[in-house]
Amino acid sequence: MNPYIEILRPTNALMAFIAVLLMAIIGHTYNYEIILGSLCVFIATGSGNTINDYYDYEIDRINAPNRPIPSGKIELKRALYYSLILFLVSIILGFIISLENGIVVILCTILMIIYAYDLKQRCFIGNLCVAILTGLTFVFGGLITKDVNLGFILGFFAFLMTLSREIIKDIEDIEGDKKEDAHTLPIIYGTKKAVMLAVILNIITCILSPLLYYYNIFSIVYLIIIIIADIIFVYSAYLAVQNQSKESMHKISKYMKIGMLIAFVSFAMGAL
Amino acid sequence: MNPYIEILRPTNALMAFIAVLLMAIIGHTYNYEIILGSLCVFIATGSGNTINDYYDYEIDRINAPNRPIPSGKIELKRALYYSLILFLVSIILGFIISLENGIVVILCTILMIIYAYDLKQRCFIGNLCVAILTGLTFVFGGLITKDVNLGFILGFFAFLMTLSREIIKDIEDIEGDKKEDAHTLPIIYGTKKAVMLAVILNIITCILSPLLYYYNIFSIVYLIIIIIADIIFVYSAYLAVQNQSKESMHKISKYMKIGMLIAFVSFAMGAL
């Protein structure tokens, strides 16, 4: 893959793209602003990933020597300029769509830069930052489809699910992170407390999920599909309490990803 | 004053109350939800201040022995329960207004608790947290007046102004903070860099301010009044670059408070 594409982590950036498309499907909005918006979040996420690689240069030399910067395919300074230019492009795209969308992109840019520079090393705050960014993608989409309230509500659910999953991923990576002297939640407060928090977040998500039907936001179809996602989340929580091994956490993280995808499908189907 | 009122820091909590009222004036919305909402943010801010005092117990014994907890007027554990009950009340009030308002209160509660527990000691992240909370108050108000886009835009301006002012306040308090071994922005990166960031934020706010007229959000009246606020902000920035003494910063912090109030007046007048 071209290193300038690879450094964007396109699969990851595509998730943000899909979040905006999901809002378009839910809002039955298919216009050029959706295309601009999807492009905008793709570029913004990509530039966030790039500046992350820029700051991780030292660590990646040992842990991920094949990444574009440590492998020498992209010069360090050049990666920084590349990401700053992409940030600027995404901000401009945001303001072309609307003042509000531009503001969201600026906020996300600030968060992504301080995340890459500092926050990701901070216990829990790094997780919180990733979850907020995920939630803001839905708000961004809602601003385009003129249903920012809905974007906000779905963003909140995405926030809860992402936060829980990020904690699970930290538990999975605990051995490697300890060697790097990282300060993740399970390292500082222990695996047990971290699992407890992830499980509580999972349960809160499940308990709140019927509200989207109750408040007449989605149809009964939503309720039927979301129950499947809820069962997966409760089962993941059960597994997490039972077994905190790396393999178990890896499996749970995968289950939760599937649960999130099903939740997104339920949003789309419930809006038809 | 009754210690259970005093610990809420009512003057500070009143500012959140006023932000919601401001949104009501701008949106010409005068209903019972505005009353509920104003009460809700007052209680939420008060409980945030209470849990802050709970975690600051040790420091306050030396620095602020007359505060309700160190003076023995409120028992430590009792202060914690008091704040948790108030948090719960504010969350319930939020959900009575709407699902979205309830979500905002939950988000703010999470932020306020981790701020009190940990974030306020973190260089810049603490400032960022206060600024985000201030911004969210406007979003909360906008959700009630059914103009969340506007709440979001004004919240962003409040965010920028608050962030700049919080940094100035950190520079003002640098000597005292150093003795407490606090890690504020000016302590870690030096006064010069901190001033630079505050000034940049100030200038960005001024440059962006005409957009609210340009995008037809407010009338020409807004533009005339906001110029006064902009002049105060630019003058504050000029003073900050010239003189970084405690007295100078104290004066600038005051000027910026006045500038913010004028900006809020311009929002209200521009919407008439």
Side-chain angles (χ1 to χ4, degrees):
Chain A
M1 204 191 297
N2 180 305
Y4 285 93
I5 300 292
E6 188 189 349
I7 201 167
L8 302 176
R9 296 182 190 257
T11 328
N12 172 278
L14 209 63
M15 296 305 291
F17 186 92
I18 288 171
V20 174
L21 281 190
L22 182 65
M23 287 304 297
I25 294 169
I26 294 170
H28 311 293
T29 307
Y30 308 99
N31 53 20
Y32 92 101
E33 285 165 333
I34 284 291
I35 300 168
L36 271 189
S38 310
L39 194 66
C40 172
V41 294
F42 181 86
I43 294 172
T45 311
S47 51
N49 289 332
T50 304
I51 203 156
N52 208 39
D53 269 18
Y54 170 77
Y55 283 115
D56 275 353
Y57 165 62
E58 287 290 338
I59 299 170
D60 282 351
R61 270 211 298 195
I62 299 145
N63 290 339
N66 291 324
R67 296 282 312 150
I69 299 176
S71 68
K73 282 180 217 147
I74 300 180
E75 211 192 321
L76 187 63
K77 273 272 165 200
R78 197 170 269 227
L80 178 65
Y81 296 143
Y82 180 52
S83 89
L84 293 181
I85 289 169
L86 289 182
F87 273 131
L88 195 66
V89 171
S90 63
I91 289 171
I92 292 170
L93 283 177
F95 276 107
I96 289 175
I97 301 170
S98 79
L99 177 61
E100 296 91 322
N101 285 88
I103 288 175
V104 174
V105 183
I106 288 184
L107 279 179
C108 290
T109 303
I110 296 174
L111 275 182
M112 284 190 284
I113 291 175
I114 59 171
Y115 174 81
Y117 175 68
D118 178 82
L119 287 190
K120 64 183 166 200
Q121 299 154 23
R122 305 266 179 220
C123 165
F124 188 61
I125 313 302
N127 307 136
L128 204 64
C129 190
V130 173
I132 290 175
L133 284 167
T134 309
L136 281 175
T137 318
F138 287 84
V139 174
F140 182 89
L143 284 167
I144 301 178
T145 61
K146 313 273 179 238
D147 197 348
V148 62
N149 283 34
L150 185 65
F152 183 71
I153 293 169
L154 300 189
F156 179 66
F157 277 92
F159 163 84
L160 286 177
M161 294 187 284
T162 307
L163 189 55
S164 177
R165 184 156 174 267
E166 287 293 313
I167 295 170
I168 294 288
K169 277 161 70 186
D170 273 354
I171 304 172
E172 181 188 345
D173 296 338
I174 192 165
E175 288 312 320
D177 285 344
K178 265 185 189 164
K179 279 179 200 145
E180 280 176 29
D181 203 25
H183 299 95
T184 64
L185 192 73
I187 290 175
I188 302 285
Y189 292 97
T191 302
K192 227 175 183 173
K193 280 191 187 163
V195 164
M196 200 49 75
L197 184 58
V199 165
I200 290 172
L201 287 167
N202 249 350
I203 303 299
I204 291 176
T205 313
C206 294
I207 292 174
L208 292 180
S209 65
L211 286 182
L212 295 180
Y213 170 70
Y214 177 78
Y215 277 93
N216 283 321
I217 292 165
F218 291 138
S219 71
I220 186 85
V221 180
Y222 159 78
L223 200 62
I224 294 164
I225 303 176
I226 200 69
I227 286 173
I228 303 170
D230 284 345
I231 291 171
I232 293 174
F233 279 121
V234 171
Y235 182 62
S236 302
Y238 169 78
L239 282 183
V241 173
Q242 292 291 318
N243 183 345
Q244 285 105 42
S245 70
K246 186 180 168 68
E247 294 71 33
S248 164
M249 287 299 144
H250 184 71
K251 206 164 66 181
I252 292 165
S253 164
K254 253 193 184 165
Y255 286 165
M256 288 180 67
K257 199 173 191 173
I258 294 169
M260 283 173 77
L261 285 175
I262 294 175
F264 292 156
V265 170
S266 75
F267 295 164
M269 299 294 286
L272 288 182
Chain B
M1 204 191 296
N2 180 305
Y4 285 93
I5 300 291
E6 188 189 349
I7 201 168
L8 302 176
R9 297 183 190 256
T11 329
N12 172 278
L14 209 62
M15 296 305 291
F17 186 92
I18 288 171
V20 174
L21 281 191
L22 182 65
M23 287 304 296
I25 294 169
I26 294 170
H28 310 294
T29 307
Y30 308 99
N31 53 20
Y32 91 101
E33 284 165 333
I34 284 291
I35 300 167
L36 271 189
S38 310
L39 194 67
C40 172
V41 293
F42 181 86
I43 294 173
T45 311
S47 51
N49 289 332
T50 304
I51 203 156
N52 208 38
D53 270 19
Y54 170 77
Y55 283 115
D56 275 353
Y57 165 62
E58 287 290 338
I59 299 171
D60 282 351
R61 270 210 299 195
I62 299 146
N63 290 340
N66 290 324
R67 295 283 312 151
I69 299 176
S71 68
K73 283 181 216 147
I74 300 180
E75 211 192 321
L76 187 63
K77 273 272 165 201
R78 198 170 268 226
L80 178 65
Y81 296 143
Y82 180 52
S83 89
L84 293 181
I85 289 169
L86 289 182
F87 272 132
L88 195 65
V89 171
S90 63
I91 289 171
I92 292 170
L93 283 177
F95 275 107
I96 290 175
I97 301 170
S98 80
L99 176 62
E100 296 90 322
N101 285 87
I103 288 174
V104 174
V105 184
I106 288 184
L107 279 179
C108 290
T109 303
I110 296 174
L111 275 182
M112 284 190 283
I113 292 175
I114 59 171
Y115 174 81
Y117 175 68
D118 178 81
L119 288 190
K120 64 184 165 198
Q121 299 154 23
R122 305 266 179 218
C123 165
F124 189 60
I125 312 302
N127 307 135
L128 204 65
C129 190
V130 173
I132 290 175
L133 283 167
T134 309
L136 281 175
T137 318
F138 286 84
V139 174
F140 182 90
L143 284 167
I144 301 178
T145 61
K146 314 271 179 241
D147 197 348
V148 62
N149 284 33
L150 185 65
F152 183 71
I153 293 168
L154 300 188
F156 179 66
F157 277 92
F159 163 84
L160 286 177
M161 294 187 284
T162 307
L163 189 55
S164 177
R165 185 157 173 266
E166 288 293 313
I167 295 170
I168 294 288
K169 277 161 69 186
D170 273 353
I171 304 172
E172 181 188 345
D173 296 339
I174 192 164
E175 288 312 320
D177 285 345
K178 266 185 188 164
K179 278 180 201 146
E180 280 176 28
D181 203 25
H183 299 95
T184 64
L185 191 74
I187 291 175
I188 302 285
Y189 292 97
T191 302
K192 229 176 183 172
K193 280 191 186 162
V195 164
M196 200 49 75
L197 184 58
V199 165
I200 290 173
L201 287 167
N202 249 349
I203 302 300
I204 291 176
T205 312
C206 294
I207 291 174
L208 292 180
S209 65
L211 286 182
L212 295 180
Y213 170 71
Y214 176 78
Y215 276 93
N216 283 321
I217 292 166
F218 291 138
S219 71
I220 186 85
V221 180
Y222 158 79
L223 200 61
I224 294 164
I225 303 176
I226 200 69
I227 286 173
I228 304 169
D230 284 345
I231 291 171
I232 293 174
F233 280 121
V234 171
Y235 181 62
S236 303
Y238 169 77
L239 282 183
V241 173
Q242 291 291 319
N243 183 345
Q244 286 105 42
S245 71
K246 186 180 167 69
E247 294 70 33
S248 164
M249 287 298 144
H250 184 71
K251 207 164 65 180
I252 292 165
S253 164
K254 253 193 184 165
Y255 286 165
M256 288 181 67
K257 198 172 191 173
I258 295 168
M260 282 174 77
L261 285 175
I262 294 175
F264 292 157
V265 170
S266 75
F267 295 164
M269 299 295 285
L272 289 182

